[in-house]
Amino acid sequence: MKELAGRLTALDPDAGAAVRVIAYFDRLSEARAGLEALVRGAAVLAGVPARLVDAERRVRVRVEADGTRRDSGVPPDPGWPSTALAPNGTAALWLERAEAAPSVVDAVILERAAGAVRLVLDRTRGRAPVDDPALVETVLDATAPEAARSHAARGLGLEPTASARALAPLDGRPRIVAGRADAALPAGRVGVGPAVPVLDLPRSWADARTALRFTAEGTAQDPGPKIVYADELGGVALLADLVAPGAEPPPDVRALEAAGAATPWLLGTLHAVVSTASLRAAAAEINVHHSTLQDRLSHAEHLLGWPLRTPQGRLRLQLALTMRHLARS
């Protein structure tokens, strides 16, 4: 490769430089270099700062031309040379060069660096969420023929034998992610289905919608997790079949609602009690003294009508809080 680059340089300096760029990023890829190393390579080779921006996966890396990492919150200039990491995607690699059009060497740097970056992101953070609504709907539809779902999956860049998860956001359309889900979760309440082969995604979608019912806003009046993974629910998921949304809530849920309406701190306090390892940990979680928590529990026991400091009482409370989510969703 060095000999070829030397010969090409004698004939065409840009062609020789392009070959050296290709060889450089091939070596980085073979060494399984990370994102910062790849962006640094692009910056040093181009002689200008380079930055990687992938908002979906919360990745932002900026490196100066001298190889120093110096991230910036200022958005990239649309006039800079850039290459998208995926067709029609927003994630891109940029060279901070003022010229309107990149040189031949810039174009090769962007292409080779972006390709290497894409492989690292897919390997370490999962693919960015695939986002064609019609194709996603087909892949998640249990009534669609397998051939149609397989064809739609390939259209989304998913191999039918690969593993993926369905996401059920409260506000937004269904989504599919390959690899790790935590790097690609949308904001707000989300149910996350289990990782399954792509052709089994209808099952993951059904489980994701169930998990969504167990989520909460994370506020004082609706305490609880905003993100729930279906494969972490275990047998608790069976409650979803017993508590129908919009139906008459169970008596313990009605007691919680009445007590919470009369006492603003009650629901947050009770959630801390059932979601921490001890009462002292619960007091620290809500930033009150241990004696204050004891007083609050005495008041809550009076309002609810059952003990909260016994194992049976805590279990009953946890079930009541969980059914409260299911009844209102």
Side-chain angles (χ1 to χ4, degrees):
M1 185 67 76
K2 288 183 179 178
E3 183 179 352
L4 174 60
R7 290 179 179 178
L8 286 173
T9 300
L11 299 173
D12 184 340
D14 281 348
V19 170
R20 284 192 291 271
V21 167
I22 292 171
Y24 178 83
F25 283 108
D26 283 349
R27 288 195 299 272
L28 287 182
S29 295
E30 289 170 4
R32 297 174 73 85
L35 296 176
E36 185 172 335
L38 293 169
V39 178
R40 179 175 293 109
V44 172
L45 289 173
V48 296
R51 71 167 75 187
L52 167 66
V53 179
D54 187 344
E56 290 281 0
R57 287 180 279 205
R58 300 179 178 88
V59 174
R60 287 177 173 81
V61 179
R62 182 182 179 277
V63 178
E64 298 279 359
D66 64 1
T68 303
R69 177 160 180 175
R70 187 168 291 115
D71 292 337
S72 171
V74 179
D77 186 328
W80 291 340
S82 66
T83 294
L85 299 187
N88 302 318
T90 58
L93 182 68
W94 303 77
L95 296 179
E96 298 183 10
R97 194 183 297 283
E99 287 83 355
S103 67
V104 171
V105 177
D106 281 352
V108 175
I109 291 171
L110 286 169
E111 179 190 358
R112 302 301 289 191
V117 163
R118 187 183 307 114
L119 291 175
V120 173
L121 286 171
D122 287 353
R123 184 178 72 241
T124 62
R125 314 230 177 173
R127 294 192 181 190
V130 287
D131 210 24
D132 184 310
L135 294 179
V136 170
E137 182 179 346
T138 300
V139 172
L140 300 180
D141 186 357
T143 65
E146 183 175 305
R149 288 188 283 116
S150 179
H151 179 74
R154 287 195 172 91
L156 294 168
L158 299 169
E159 286 299 321
T161 56
S163 178
R165 295 176 185 263
L167 305 184
L170 177 66
D171 300 315
R173 58 178 182 266
R175 300 173 74 176
I176 298 171
V177 292
R180 292 174 53 190
D182 55 352
L185 293 175
R189 291 169 50 194
V190 184
V192 182
V196 297
V198 166
L199 291 181
D200 288 338
L201 276 169
R203 174 169 61 87
S204 182
W205 170 237
D207 290 346
R209 284 181 292 166
T210 297
L212 176 62
R213 296 184 57 202
F214 287 86
T215 63
E217 293 294 337
T219 63
Q221 292 307 307
D222 189 21
K226 289 186 176 182
I227 299 167
V228 172
Y229 286 76
D231 44 13
E232 295 178 359
L233 286 173
V236 176
L238 298 174
L239 286 174
D241 295 329
L242 301 177
V243 182
E248 178 70 12
D252 284 357
V253 174
R254 296 200 299 271
L256 272 177
E257 294 288 10
T263 313
W265 51 256
L266 185 130
L267 293 172
T269 298
L270 297 184
H271 173 72
V273 168
V274 301
S275 61
T276 55
S278 66
L279 291 182
R280 290 196 178 277
E285 176 75 16
I286 57 176
N287 198 29
V288 300
H289 193 272
H290 183 257
S291 61
T292 301
L293 177 61
Q294 294 287 357
D295 291 340
R296 287 188 175 188
L297 288 178
S298 296
H299 185 62
E301 288 172 338
H302 173 73
L303 293 175
L304 295 176
W306 76 80
L308 301 176
R309 284 167 278 199
T310 64
Q312 296 86 351
R314 282 168 62 105
L315 175 60
R316 182 175 177 181
L317 174 61
Q318 188 161 19
L319 289 173
L321 288 168
T322 300
M323 289 189 294
R324 178 174 180 264
H325 294 152
L326 296 172
R328 62 95 166 94
S329 60

